[in-house]
């Protein structure tokens, strides 16, 4: 695990953190707390959770090929690290190969920050990293998650997207109301060229689908969802690519 020696004992090392420029607080309100916000990366519990997920979902052949110790020992150590969190919540929740589509309900299309350096800039040492992300006040993210969950529960039932959004809202409520919430494509940008990223309408598709459901237009909502699903299916296909 990150932060461990080979025998499982902990390494005394500084904690890795992500810094973000605030301020927090809902739109139109006075900022809460400092203007520089800190997010612990918590690589140890996140790696342990990812390992538990790997052991639970992958085939025996792949598990055997990937592990260098008995699977029961690896699972026990990983579950023990996850249990160290107790009632607290990790500051970062991640998914592999795709973005859980309900998460786009937490953001507005216009809030997207897209960093696409030119070819000349990419070769420069100071060139910024390609990124695609949204960063919104906690109050906005929570109100959007709750509203979308209620709408989806009323129109599509309590399972599926509405359940994901309620679970996401429960997670967000562990943190300070002045925090910022970031939805970041992370390494997924490596699976898309600049043109694909620039043309990505995921947030727009979710917003249109929700608005169509509010208006009772199920056909339009389904068309927006299909567009969104097809876009991310192409990214998720890399998981099983040879």
């Amino acid at each position: 695990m990150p932060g461990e020696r080979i025998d499982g004992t902990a390494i005394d090392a500084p904690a890795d953190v992500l810094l973000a420029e605030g301020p927090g607080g809902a739109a139109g309100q006075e900022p809460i707390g400092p203007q520089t916000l800190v997010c612990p990366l918590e690589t140890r519990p996140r790696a342990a959770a990812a390992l538990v997920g790997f052991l639970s979902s992958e085939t025996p052949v792949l598990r055997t090929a990937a592990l260098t110790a008995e699977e029961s020992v690896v699972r026990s150590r990983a579950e023990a690290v996850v249990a160290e969190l107790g009632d607290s919540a990790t500051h970062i929740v991640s998914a592999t190969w795709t973005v859980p589509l309900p998460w786009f309900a937490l953001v507005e299309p216009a809030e997207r920050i897209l960093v696409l350096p030119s070819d000349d800039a990419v070769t420069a040492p100071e060139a910024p990293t390609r990124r695609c992300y949204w960063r919104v006040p906690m109050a906005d993210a929570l109100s959007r998650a709750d509203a979308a969950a209620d709408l989806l529960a009323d129109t599509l039932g309590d399972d599926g997207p509405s359940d994901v959004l309620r679970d996401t809202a429960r997670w967000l409520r562990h943190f300070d109301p002045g925090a910022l919430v970031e939805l970041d494509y992370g390494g997924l940008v490596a699976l898309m060229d600049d043109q694909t990223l620039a043309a990505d309408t995921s947030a727009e598709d979710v917003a249109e689908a929700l608005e169509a459901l509010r208006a009772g237009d199920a056909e339009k909502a389904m068309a927006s969802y299909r567009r969104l699903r097809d876009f991310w299916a192409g990214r998720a296909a890399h998981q099983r690519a040879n």
Side-chain angles (χ1 to χ4, degrees):
M1 296 291 174
E4 286 185 354
R5 298 180 179 87
I6 192 65
D7 62 359
T9 58
I11 297 173
D12 186 13
D16 291 327
V17 299
L18 173 69
L19 301 181
E21 292 304 315
Q29 295 183 1
E30 290 297 317
I32 303 172
Q35 289 198 347
T36 299
L37 305 180
V38 180
C39 178
L41 294 182
E42 299 168 324
T43 52
R44 176 179 159 86
R46 289 169 56 216
L51 182 52
V52 171
F54 170 81
L55 296 176
S56 301
S57 61
E58 294 298 342
T59 63
V61 171
L62 185 55
R63 297 199 305 267
T64 300
L67 299 178
T68 58
E70 288 292 331
E71 181 175 330
S72 59
V73 175
V74 174
R75 182 185 294 273
S76 177
R77 285 181 58 186
E79 290 176 346
V81 171
V82 173
E84 291 173 4
L85 282 173
D87 293 332
S88 61
T90 181
H91 287 71
I92 299 175
V93 175
S94 58
T96 54
W97 300 108
T98 186
V99 175
L101 304 184
W103 287 0
F104 287 107
L106 277 63
V107 300
E108 291 289 340
E111 294 166 335
R112 183 174 74 159
I113 301 173
L114 185 61
V115 181
L116 297 177
S118 67
D119 291 341
D120 291 338
V122 169
T123 61
E126 68 278 7
T129 303
R130 292 170 79 245
R131 287 191 67 192
C132 180
Y133 66 100
W134 290 255
R135 190 174 286 167
V136 301
M138 175 65 75
D140 291 347
L142 269 173
S143 64
R144 292 167 184 171
D146 289 338
D150 290 343
L151 173 64
L152 291 166
D154 290 342
T155 54
L156 303 178
D158 290 325
D159 297 329
S162 62
D163 188 49
V164 172
L165 285 167
R166 294 201 190 285
D167 187 57
T168 302
R170 283 193 294 270
W171 170 64
L172 291 176
R173 287 188 168 90
H174 282 89
F175 306 107
D176 191 282
L180 291 177
V181 179
E182 182 172 297
L183 174 60
D184 194 326
Y185 279 11
L188 290 174
V189 296
L191 304 180
M192 305 177 229
D193 58 27
D194 289 359
Q195 292 74 24
T196 301
L197 278 171
D200 173 25
T201 58
S202 296
E204 288 88 344
D205 292 337
V206 169
E208 288 177 6
L210 292 174
E211 186 58 36
L213 287 175
R214 290 188 187 96
D217 191 340
E219 184 175 348
K220 183 177 180 180
M222 183 56 67
S224 298
Y225 171 73
R226 287 198 190 101
R227 192 163 56 245
L228 178 74
R229 180 196 60 193
D230 291 347
F231 177 83
W232 285 103
R235 317 284 84 77
H238 287 267
Q239 182 175 7
R240 300 298 178 185
N242 188 332

